[in-house]
Amino acid sequence: MAVAPPSYCFVAFPPRTKDGLVVFGKNSARPREEVQEVVYFAAAAHDPGSKVECTYIAIDQVPKTHAIMLSRPAWLWGSEMGANEHGVCIANEAITTREPASETEALLGMDLVRLGLERGATAKEALDVIVSLLEEHGQGGNYYEDGSSCYAFQSAFLIVDRAEAWVLETVGKYWAAEKITEGVKCICNQLSLTTKIDVEHPELRSYAETQGWWTGDTEFNFSEVFSLAEDHLGCCSGQESLEKQEGNITVQTMMDVLRDRASGVCVDSETFLTTASIVSVLPQNPSSPCIHYFTGTPDPSRSIFKPFIFVDDVKLVPKVQSPFLGDDDPVKKKPRFQERPDRRHELYKAHERARSVTENDQDKGQKLMRIMLDLERQGLEAMEDILTSTEVLDPAEVVDLFYDCVDTEIK
């Protein structure tokens, strides 16, 4: 059975956080050479009866989809993590369970992230979208751009808005979810739900009984029932770091946790690397804008978080988008993944050049990192001014915000 990549997702609520903000973050651990792009899709209306082509299968489209900003492996349709115009953020985790994941092509967990963002205006709406599509179409197929073998996983999701979060964990078409409205929550590449389940698949428990995983005589503990052996004992050292910041968790705190190599939250192993990261700030005051910070490049300890705010006519950022290959893409052809095209975007290549400099000249590398972190700090301070301002945000001020940050970073 494939080893799930050790990604980490977090959410923290007031009063653990400062200034009435909900703070969300994720490190996306993926195969080392995989490129992630950051891509915006505007809200759209769709013709009745139209279909949407997901990574492997086509499903019915809905009449209207929300504007979304995604950080995604450049070869697939879905997303590892992202946000929509209504302040909903979703991240997913690949997990292994007693139920082997299906290699048959269906929806990927990452497709469900995007579908939840496109169709859900609240965290609960996104949850309902994901579970209904999961039951209708199932999940399955290769999680990696690899023609030599299939790596299939079950999925877990952290779904967050300004008011609440949902932890959704799945086993095939079966699922359970817990509502979170306070404190700090972390999910990783293991099941985490135990006995507190707020909603679930109607046949979840009877399915566990028919498989011989639960007798019905004991309290139903989701992780114990569906996990492999002792694979449910908690995995989140980053949660402890956040919990120590009682009442003081900020966007900077979340970024620091995501950059922490010692805790294992920032992954850099022979197999896996944190290929991209996101932090989002969701004010509980609905008149304040949500702000989403994307790296778009590997390893947050040597990348910087750049802010994005949803407004109309956002300026697109080709420099963080991978080359579009259309029908010639090896993911579109069967058998799939017979070639590995160069999916590096301009910012990714700039980071590769910078990394070769830092490895060969430590002083130069440290100076470069100081300049980049100063750029990040300027962005954080500007966003702080927006959040604390009593004036209504002028969309014209931020329409090219992310574009300008990426451009300056490359320079």
Side-chain angles (χ1 to χ4, degrees):
M1 187 175 288
V3 175
S7 297
Y8 292 86
C9 311
F10 303 90
V11 66
F13 286 91
R16 289 287 178 91
T17 56
K18 285 184 73 175
D19 305 324
L21 303 173
V22 178
V23 184
F24 163 86
K26 178 183 175 178
N27 270 353
S28 171
R30 298 282 300 170
R32 288 192 65 88
E33 303 305 316
E34 187 176 80
V35 176
Q36 279 204 35
E37 61 178 352
V38 180
V39 58
Y40 170 82
F41 295 94
H46 305 279
D47 294 334
S50 61
K51 298 280 187 180
V52 55
E53 289 276 348
C54 303
T55 302
Y56 297 129
I57 65 168
I59 65 171
D60 291 336
Q61 184 57 284
V62 290
K64 182 182 182 302
T65 50
H66 307 309
I68 56 173
M69 186 73 155
L70 308 177
S71 182
R72 68 178 187 182
W75 61 271
L76 53 74
W77 179 86
S79 177
E80 272 279 285
M81 51 208 179
N84 73 18
E85 62 183 305
H86 301 290
V88 178
C89 300
I90 309 179
N92 92 309
E93 296 281 351
I95 52 174
T96 52
T97 69
R98 277 179 160 178
E99 173 95 1
S102 173
E103 295 186 5
T104 302
E105 291 183 348
L107 292 173
L108 289 174
M110 292 170 283
D111 293 336
L112 290 165
V113 170
R114 177 170 174 177
L115 290 162
L117 290 171
E118 286 187 336
R119 301 179 181 195
T122 66
K124 182 59 167 61
E125 276 186 22
L127 169 79
D128 293 340
V129 165
I130 290 171
V131 298
S132 66
L133 291 170
L134 183 67
E135 290 176 37
E136 183 178 356
H137 301 286
Q139 59 181 321
N142 203 342
Y143 256 62
Y144 300 157
E145 187 183 16
D146 189 329
S148 60
S149 53
C150 183
Y151 299 88
F153 299 101
Q154 311 287 9
S155 306
F157 304 86
L158 183 60
I159 310 168
V160 182
D161 64 21
R162 295 174 187 259
E164 64 189 31
W166 288 86
V167 174
L168 168 64
E169 297 182 345
T170 69
V171 180
K173 71 172 185 176
Y174 301 97
W175 57 271
E178 178 186 2
K179 183 178 176 180
I180 312 285
T181 56
E182 59 184 16
V184 174
K185 183 68 178 178
C186 167
I187 70 167
C188 63
N189 60 327
Q190 298 175 10
L191 294 176
S192 66
L193 298 180
T194 56
T195 57
K196 183 183 180 295
I197 296 172
D198 293 301
V199 285
E200 65 187 72
H201 189 287
E203 296 163 17
L204 174 71
R205 299 183 191 215
S206 59
Y207 178 71
E209 284 193 81
T210 61
Q211 296 298 306
W213 297 335
W214 183 57
T215 62
D217 297 332
T218 56
E219 187 176 23
F220 186 80
N221 182 314
F222 185 83
S223 293
E224 287 185 4
V225 169
F226 290 106
S227 291
L228 288 162
E230 297 300 304
D231 200 23
H232 61 278
L233 300 177
C235 59
C236 229
S237 52
Q239 182 160 339
E240 295 169 13
S241 303
L242 286 172
E243 286 173 340
K244 287 174 187 171
Q245 301 281 333
E246 182 70 47
N248 287 308
I249 297 171
T250 63
V251 63
Q252 185 68 63
T253 316
M254 188 66 78
M255 290 175 183
D256 291 344
V257 166
L258 296 183
R259 286 176 165 138
D260 187 359
R261 286 169 170 266
S263 69
V265 171
C266 182
V267 176
D268 187 355
S269 68
E270 283 186 25
T271 313
F272 299 116
L273 180 67
T274 298
T275 53
S277 306
I278 181 177
V279 172
S280 293
V281 180
L282 315 175
Q284 292 194 311
N285 175 3
S287 64
S288 293
C290 297
I291 302 173
H292 312 281
Y293 299 84
F294 295 86
T295 60
T297 51
D299 190 347
S301 69
R302 54 184 169 87
S303 293
I304 60 171
F305 289 87
K306 298 162 286 291
F308 171 86
I309 297 175
F310 283 94
V311 291
D312 291 338
D313 302 317
V314 163
K315 188 171 184 179
L316 301 180
V317 190
K319 292 174 181 177
V320 286
Q321 289 178 233
S322 297
F324 177 69
L325 303 177
D327 291 338
D328 291 331
D329 198 312
V331 70
K332 301 284 190 190
K333 301 175 181 177
K334 291 187 178 179
R336 301 193 198 275
F337 310 126
Q338 297 305 294
E339 302 167 54
R340 285 291 294 271
D342 184 355
R343 300 190 187 276
R344 295 174 301 162
H345 48 72
E346 196 170 331
L347 181 62
Y348 188 99
K349 290 178 181 177
H351 269 261
E352 283 187 321
R353 292 193 295 272
R355 190 178 184 194
S356 68
V357 169
T358 59
E359 286 173 349
N360 294 322
D361 187 335
Q362 198 169 12
D363 289 343
K364 202 170 182 180
Q366 288 174 347
K367 182 183 177 186
L368 177 61
M369 200 63 218
R370 280 196 300 271
I371 294 169
M372 287 176 62
L373 288 173
D374 189 54
L375 173 65
E376 181 182 271
R377 182 184 54 76
Q378 291 174 38
L380 286 168
E381 289 173 356
M383 296 306 101
E384 180 74 17
D385 290 344
I386 287 173
L387 288 174
T388 54
S389 173
T390 54
E391 297 177 17
V392 177
L393 177 67
D394 178 2
E397 289 183 12
V398 297
V399 73
D400 51 7
L401 172 66
F402 191 70
Y403 181 98
D404 287 346
C405 290
V406 170
D407 204 44
T408 307
E409 183 179 3
I410 288 173
K411 287 173 183 171

